[in-house]
Amino acid sequence: EFQLMQYKGNMGTWNSLGLFNYQLNEGRDQLPEDKKAIVKSIIGNETDPYKKVQLLYSYMQQNTRYVLNAYGISGWQTFDAEHVARNGYGDCKGLTNYLKAMLKEAGIKSYIALVSAGNNYYRLDEQFPANNFNHVILCVPQDKDSIWVECTSQQLPAGYLGSFTENRKVLLTTENGGFLC
């Protein structure tokens, strides 16, 4: 059991840790009206989910930049999507949440995935739930495979993770709790 400011959580299971993270960031994926209109204009009549993800990701890459946020509970809680939309920047959580919000507007479900990134990353112990994560990426589940997106990159295409995050276990945060994949 733990408390982070007014937020209470539990690291007894991966499910409870993922649920805490989901609830901490719940409702922060709301876009301003002008960005909702932009999402609709970008996707137009496109029906292919991967192409929609790529179009919106490309827009985000061209209109935002990565800025580290190390204040308050920012290591855990994201900037809301409206802040990123208005200011054009965010940390890994903020940018990932912003793309999640755009995809939500396009009718595409996605989930934040917590990951330990970098060359000397923490190799997750599946038997010991702990917040040893230092980065987030986005998972867009599909029928046959998921689309993974590194939202801090200005060059990578959707569906490609570089050596910073590839081939690692992640904790997906969902409305039903967290689970490892």
Side-chain angles (χ1 to χ4, degrees), residues 17-158:
L17 179 58
L19 184 60
F20 167 78
N21 191 277
Y22 181 85
Q23 291 172 342
L24 180 67
N25 293 294
E26 191 171 21
R28 300 180 76 80
D29 60 352
Q30 304 302 313
L31 289 176
E33 292 303 317
D34 63 321
K35 295 300 181 194
K36 289 180 180 181
I38 288 172
V39 167
K40 289 180 180 9
S41 71
I42 289 171
I43 60 172
N45 294 324
E46 184 59 62
T47 58
D48 180 77
Y50 178 78
K51 288 181 182 173
K52 286 182 182 180
V53 170
Q54 186 62 51
L55 288 167
L56 293 172
Y57 180 52
S58 179
Y59 170 82
M60 187 191 81
Q61 287 175 307
Q62 294 169 24
N63 292 281
T64 62
R65 60 189 168 82
Y66 172 81
V67 173
L68 175 64
N69 176 20
Y71 298 103
I73 60 172
S74 65
W76 294 68
Q77 190 174 57
T78 184
F79 281 129
D80 60 53
E82 187 172 344
H83 174 90
V84 176
R86 184 178 57 251
N87 295 297
Y89 66 83
D91 61 5
C92 60
K93 294 173 301 307
L95 295 172
T96 301
N97 183 59
Y98 182 49
L99 182 58
K100 179 181 184 276
M102 289 193 294
L103 293 173
K104 178 179 163 185
E105 184 62 26
I108 298 174
K109 187 85 168 168
S110 61
Y111 296 104
I112 303 294
L114 306 177
V115 62
S116 181
N119 291 332
N120 297 317
Y121 68 95
Y122 175 81
R123 284 167 176 71
L124 191 132
D125 180 349
E126 293 185 40
Q127 303 305 311
F128 189 75
N131 183 28
N132 292 313
F133 306 104
N134 62 355
H135 194 56
V136 299
I137 55 179
L138 193 66
C139 177
V140 185
Q142 299 295 290
D143 290 337
K144 294 184 181 178
D145 198 3
S146 295
I147 303 166
W148 294 91
V149 187
E150 168 55 74
C151 295
T152 62
S153 172
Q154 305 257 232
Q155 289 94 21
L156 293 177

